[in-house]
Amino acid sequence: MRLVPLVVSMAALAVSLLPGTAQAEAGSDDRSGGIVVTARLAKTARTEQQLAPNLVTIQSAETIAKYPDINAAEALSRMPGVALSIDTSEGRFVNIRGLDGNLDGATIGGVVLLNTQPGGTYFNSAARAVEFDTVPIGAVDRITVIKTGLPDHDAEGIGGTVELTPRTAVGLSHLFADVMVAGGVETFKDNPFYRDEIVVGGPIDKAHTLSFMLTQYLHNDRRAFHDIEAGYIDGQPAVPDKAFGGLELRNYDYHRQRFGYSGEFDYVPADGQRYYLRASYAGYNEHVYRNRFEIDFDGNAAVNPANANGLMDTATAVKTLRDEDETHKNLVVQLGGDNHWGKAHVEYWGAYSRASYDKHFDYNSTFANPNGYTIAYDNTTNPNYPSYSVASGNGLLDPSLYALASITNAAEHDRDQEWSGAASIGLPVGVADNDEVKFGAKLRFRHKVANPFTGKYGYPGSLTLAQGAAGGAITNFYGSYNIMPKISGAPLRTIFDQSGTSLTLNTGGFFDDDEDVTAGFIQYKGDLGQLGVLAGLRFEHTSATYRGIGAIVSGTGAAATTTTGPISTAHRYDNVFPTVQLRYAFRPTLLLRATYSTGFARPGFYQTQQNTSVDTGAQTASTGNPNLLPTYSHNFDLALEYYLPDAGIVSLGVFDKEMLDYIVTRGGPVTNYAGTGNTYVVQSYQNARHAHARGIEANFVDHFRGLPGLLGGLGVDANLTYVDSGVAVRADQPSVALPGAFAWSWNAAVFWEKGKTKLRLASQFESSVLFGVGGSRATDVFQDSRTTLDFNGSYEVTDRVQVFCNAKNLTNAPLRFYEGTPSRPIQREYYDVTLESGVKLKF
């Protein structure tokens, strides 16, 4: 907590040093010099949403700043229809209207954002979901969730598309600088963290034709938490339902360094003429030490006669260390123009986008105990904290009995890059009021590579855990467990590196794919009295080449052999995307929208993977399917919106997404597999005939300024989404909810804003959701429901100085997964509360 008084002292110092005359925040009238730049203001964002021809939700930077969120994923999760997926206590992926991030789109300034880590996406193997935790919120003016796409948008995004609008200084009359410095503590282990953000910009010349905007972001933390994981023996009723296959007690220590840099240069030589160059570079590096104590059971569990809720089984134990370092980075560079020449409105740009994932090393060291034990355990009385005891055997927690058995290392270097360009022309037609016909084209050239490498060294020496420990024993793991000393990582790295063990390509995780898209569109929009009409058509041609190293089976029966070799498959397909979107204004603040739109999601890069894994002994195989079709969706929306003063809104909408060729994992017997003459059980990906996601979305935002006295500061910002979804993930069984489709999600914030003080208490809820499809419903994996409570408070000391404080996860909500039923948890991570305070300065 030492950083808290430090930042408060800095605020006091800043007050004493700053002159009395204040300038307003970028985007306000005081600083605009007659050209008001208001993209960052809540009232302007709401007006833009109101006037949009399609269904969108816009969150301004002003509103984002009222929550304790540190990245774009967390900011997105406050918006209607958006659900959050977290990792190590921070938001990472978002789902829109029941569709996971692999089925949604993401752009920044219209340029497609790419996926950094193909193997890290949630809910399926698509390797397309954007990790929004790589995007700092200070780099954007506003966030838009496009729920009904237009013909001039990319067709990707069945659930919706996230557009991040970069910061700009166009229209400002003076140079400015905004500085934020903050620090706090992660209370699980009282680890401190630091965060800062610097933004400078404004006009360069006296005529204000040239302007610039530069941003810098830094966030260092040392997140620590415990995790209890379990595996179960399946085979009921012969095996008890709660029988452990393994129990893992994991202690995590992270050091994460987030960074972000962005900039924009604009040239506006005359009204209606603009040229720009912008770039964004953001990501993070993290190093993790994971100390793990693992008990591996034999799978012959019997009821413990001394405890009706308990079981007994024979087991062995190991102690392991994972010592891993990785970097995620996203780069976008864009050059473009926006010109009005006569009656024509011409827009054009070219861009380069690159996402990368580098796992620099991933050492996993195993200390094995040769002794056998009989373990009695109870994972029924309290499934979240199972208890165990040693019924027979000595030295389960004796570090001297655990000897180094092996060290593995892994590295990975993945690249996802795209060159793209777009141009469009809009012309008035004169058939209706404010009408325009617009047509244009876009080209995208994408190349995505996954390069994983692995190596294993069997240690021949006699190093014990007692000799390789880095410190005292962890005897208070969740207050109940002893997991013995932490393991020292550096000496084990040295042992592996000096062994001469080389890393070889893991062909099962390798792919090298091209995906090129040629698109064209035409759309018309205009007003017929109170009725606004937009109609149009988009065409996209996809040309993909999927490359990998696959398994080739030769011979039959016991003589069957498997060899590997390069495989390449080309896939071409064309799609047309019509839309009709109607907007009826009963009056300017009361709107009815009715839309039909279309969109699709291309197959995932792991789903189309060429690699095949074959077990000739068990006669099983798993493989990708390069002939998968994209999932195509017909989307229907009906929404009623009533706009209130002070950026308020009351809205209610229903939506229906009818999807064709939704991709599922399926397996079954294949006779004469690969010419072997034998029947193999082959698991792959297939297009299901039909899937759906239907739901209701409600939103209410209002500041009750009409209430008397202090009550006039009260307000509510709340939204609710319900999604009913279904697909037949197994061909012979009824449909189940889509993976990643949260049935219920809501946000509910109560705020008090009056004068210089702003206070906000915000809660989020997401219901349990299917996370991964198993062999049966009993082995499907679910992410459990989660309710969080956060607080943000701020006070404007002067027009130039604001102090603030945040408290996140006041409910200590865990990240919890279970298999089949909630009573079979397989993972639960508790993070405790994160406290932060800081100061914002304006120059």
Side-chain angles (χ1 to χ4, degrees):
M1 297 295 289
R2 295 176 182 174
L3 288 175
V4 177
L6 172 61
V7 293
V8 174
S9 299
M10 290 179 61
L13 177 62
V15 173
S16 65
L17 293 177
L18 290 172
T21 303
Q23 290 179 333
E25 179 182 2
S28 70
D29 295 350
D30 294 336
R31 208 153 152 184
S32 62
I35 304 177
V36 181
V37 181
T38 54
R40 297 178 60 78
L41 300 182
K43 62 182 180 181
T44 307
R46 189 70 76 196
T47 300
E48 185 177 347
Q49 176 179 326
Q50 180 180 354
L51 297 177
N54 57 329
L55 195 60
V56 299
T57 302
I58 304 176
Q59 192 87 304
S60 68
E62 181 184 23
T63 302
I64 292 171
K66 296 176 181 179
Y67 292 93
D69 303 326
I70 63 170
N71 63 51
E74 295 176 349
L76 275 160
S77 72
R78 310 290 180 177
M79 301 173 69
V82 182
L84 181 68
S85 292
I86 69 167
D87 184 33
T88 66
S89 85
E90 295 180 359
R92 191 174 193 196
F93 297 105
V94 297
N95 296 8
I96 304 175
R97 289 181 155 191
L99 279 300
D100 77 79
N102 294 286
L103 305 177
D104 300 325
T107 59
I108 181 167
V111 181
V112 173
L113 279 171
L114 304 177
N115 162 263
T116 63
Q117 183 188 1
T121 56
Y122 279 12
F123 300 113
N124 59 45
S125 303
R128 290 186 179 273
V130 171
E131 300 91 339
F132 284 104
D133 61 343
T134 63
V135 181
I137 56 175
V140 298
D141 269 336
R142 64 187 184 276
I143 299 176
T144 304
V145 178
I146 302 168
K147 295 174 179 175
T148 58
L150 300 179
D152 61 353
H153 297 155
D154 291 287
E156 288 176 322
I158 297 176
T161 297
V162 174
E163 161 60 16
L164 307 176
T165 302
R167 295 193 69 165
T168 182
V170 172
L172 297 183
S173 60
H174 302 285
L175 294 174
F176 79 96
D178 292 340
V179 179
M180 183 275 292
V181 179
V185 62
E186 293 151 348
T187 61
F188 187 88
K189 286 191 177 179
D190 290 331
N191 289 340
F193 67 91
Y194 168 82
R195 184 163 64 106
D196 71 47
E197 180 182 297
I198 301 173
V199 183
V200 296
I204 298 175
D205 61 334
K206 293 183 179 180
H208 299 170
T209 59
L210 291 170
S211 63
F212 77 98
M213 179 75 72
L214 300 174
T215 75
Q216 175 269 331
Y217 174 85
L218 178 67
H219 180 205
N220 289 334
D221 71 33
R222 292 187 176 273
R223 175 73 58 187
F225 56 92
H226 294 333
D227 175 22
I228 303 175
E229 299 203 4
Y232 296 89
I233 298 295
D234 298 309
Q236 300 84 10
V239 177
D241 178 65
K242 300 278 285 183
F244 273 153
L247 174 64
E248 299 181 11
L249 307 177
R250 301 181 173 196
N251 175 84
Y252 285 91
D253 287 292
Y254 274 88
H255 182 199
R256 182 176 287 133
Q257 298 173 294
R258 298 188 184 277
F259 58 87
Y261 308 94
S262 66
E264 178 170 310
F265 291 88
D266 288 275
Y267 176 49
V268 184
D271 290 342
Q273 310 296 323
R274 180 191 178 197
Y275 307 90
Y276 58 87
L277 171 65
R278 60 170 67 115
S280 173
Y281 176 64
Y284 60 88
N285 173 262
E286 68 180 22
H287 191 141
V288 59
Y289 287 105
R290 184 197 67 193
N291 275 266
R292 179 181 66 166
F293 176 49
E294 177 181 340
I295 302 174
D296 296 312
F297 295 90
D298 293 338
N300 300 307
V303 175
N304 183 356
N307 179 3
N309 288 333
L311 300 171
M312 297 185 70
D313 198 357
T314 54
T316 57
V318 297
K319 181 71 185 287
T320 70
L321 172 71
R322 184 182 189 187
D323 176 9
E324 189 252 5
D325 191 273
E326 64 182 44
T327 302
H328 300 247
K329 292 184 289 188
N330 248 310
L331 169 69
V332 176
V333 181
Q334 184 181 22
L335 175 66
D338 186 342
N339 304 98
H340 289 80
W341 293 325
K343 295 183 178 181
H345 181 196
V346 181
E347 298 174 273
Y348 48 91
W349 55 260
Y352 174 71
S353 183
R354 176 186 174 96
S356 63
Y357 170 71
D358 289 289
K359 183 191 289 184
H360 308 292
F361 57 80
D362 188 359
Y363 296 92
N364 285 265
S365 304
T366 299
F367 289 78
N369 184 340
N371 294 346
Y373 301 89
T374 299
I375 305 292
Y377 60 91
D378 180 353
N379 60 353
T380 299
T381 302
N382 187 346
N384 282 331
Y385 300 101
S387 61
Y388 74 89
S389 61
V390 179
S392 66
N394 297 312
L396 181 66
L397 300 177
D398 183 352
S400 66
L401 294 182
Y402 290 78
L404 181 61
S406 64
I407 307 173
T408 63
N409 188 19
E412 188 166 348
H413 305 287
D414 304 334
R415 299 291 181 269
D416 193 354
Q417 58 185 352
E418 179 173 295
W419 292 92
S420 59
S424 66
I425 301 175
L427 295 167
V429 180
V431 175
D433 295 334
N434 305 312
D435 68 352
E436 178 191 63
V437 63
K438 185 178 182 180
F439 56 92
K442 186 174 185 178
L443 299 175
R444 297 173 54 193
F445 303 98
R446 185 173 187 176
H447 184 207
K448 189 174 181 71
V449 180
N451 278 304
F453 297 86
T454 59
K456 182 175 182 179
Y457 172 56
Y459 184 68
S462 58
L463 180 67
T464 69
L465 177 59
Q467 298 165 319
I474 304 174
T475 59
N476 196 35
F477 184 96
Y478 278 132
S480 304
Y481 308 95
N482 180 351
I483 65 171
M484 295 180 287
K486 289 186 177 181
I487 303 172
S488 179
L492 297 170
R493 276 183 246 153
T494 301
I495 290 173
F496 183 93
D497 294 344
Q498 292 180 350
S499 72
T501 304
S502 60
L503 302 185
T504 59
L505 180 66
N506 175 10
T507 57
F510 167 81
F511 64 79
D512 183 350
D513 296 345
D514 289 323
E515 187 178 81
D516 300 335
V517 178
T518 304
F521 74 90
I522 184 169
Q523 70 180 36
Y524 169 84
K525 68 175 181 179
D527 296 327
L528 301 172
Q530 295 169 281
L531 178 66
V533 178
L534 186 144
L537 199 69
R538 184 178 184 87
F539 168 80
E540 291 197 2
H541 169 73
T542 303
S543 174
T545 303
Y546 308 119
R547 306 180 192 88
I549 299 175
I552 304 171
V553 180
S554 58
T556 61
T561 60
T562 303
T563 58
T564 59
I567 300 176
S568 177
T569 301
H571 197 190
R572 312 283 184 267
Y573 48 89
D574 299 316
N575 297 94
V576 177
F577 305 94
T579 185
V580 177
Q581 310 212 25
L582 307 177
R583 174 187 179 276
Y584 187 82
F586 295 98
R587 55 178 184 264
T589 57
L590 181 61
L591 307 177
L592 177 66
R593 299 181 188 270
T595 73
Y596 163 69
S597 61
T598 49
F600 80 152
R602 295 181 174 88
F605 292 97
Y606 279 124
Q607 294 169 335
T608 57
Q609 200 174 14
Q610 296 291 284
N611 308 326
T612 302
S613 176
V614 178
D615 186 333
T616 56
Q619 296 187 352
T620 61
S622 60
T623 183
N625 182 359
N627 296 312
L628 288 169
L629 298 173
T631 300
Y632 188 97
S633 182
H634 298 273
N635 308 317
F636 304 89
D637 282 84
L638 183 67
L640 185 65
E641 302 171 344
Y642 180 52
Y643 290 85
L644 304 172
D646 296 318
I649 188 173
V650 181
S651 66
L652 178 66
V654 294
F655 58 88
D656 180 9
K657 299 178 182 297
E658 301 294 327
M659 289 166 275
L660 306 176
D661 298 316
Y662 184 89
I663 299 172
V664 298
T665 304
R666 283 183 180 163
V670 176
T671 58
N672 192 27
Y673 176 71
T676 63
N678 297 321
T679 299
Y680 276 62
V681 176
V682 180
Q683 179 172 290
S684 187
Y685 299 94
Q686 297 180 15
N687 290 109
R689 183 178 63 86
H690 177 258
H692 72 268
R694 306 166 188 143
I696 301 172
E697 187 178 292
N699 191 21
F700 175 61
V701 182
D702 194 17
H703 190 167
F704 308 128
R705 296 187 187 276
L707 295 177
L710 293 177
L711 294 178
L714 285 175
V716 172
D717 187 340
N719 56 74
L720 171 72
T721 304
Y722 170 74
V723 180
D724 171 76
S725 66
V727 64
V729 296
R730 303 174 188 90
D732 59 341
Q733 295 184 14
S735 66
V736 299
L738 300 180
F742 297 88
W744 292 96
S745 60
W746 50 255
N747 294 279
V750 177
F751 62 84
W752 190 87
E753 298 177 2
K754 200 169 185 65
K756 298 181 177 182
T757 304
K758 295 181 175 67
L759 305 173
R760 183 170 295 237
L761 193 64
S763 181
Q764 287 184 302
F765 171 79
E766 286 134 8
S767 60
S768 59
V769 65
L770 179 63
F771 186 84
V773 177
S776 67
R777 193 61 173 170
T779 58
D780 287 345
V781 175
F782 294 84
Q783 180 177 303
D784 209 349
S785 59
R786 191 167 185 265
T787 304
T788 61
L789 185 65
D790 304 320
F791 171 79
N792 169 264
S794 65
Y795 179 75
E796 293 181 4
V797 181
T798 72
D799 289 340
R800 292 192 176 211
V801 179
Q802 180 190 94
V803 293
F804 67 91
C805 60
N806 296 321
K808 296 182 67 174
N809 195 26
L810 291 167
T811 54
N812 191 24
L815 174 64
R816 187 179 189 270
F817 294 88
Y818 60 86
E819 182 183 85
T821 64
S823 66
R824 286 162 57 99
I826 59 174
Q827 179 180 344
R828 49 282 213 203
E829 299 175 0
Y830 290 86
Y831 309 113
D832 282 351
V833 181
T834 298
L835 301 175
E836 180 185 42
S837 64
V839 59
K840 296 181 180 180
L841 309 174
K842 300 178 183 300
F843 299 92

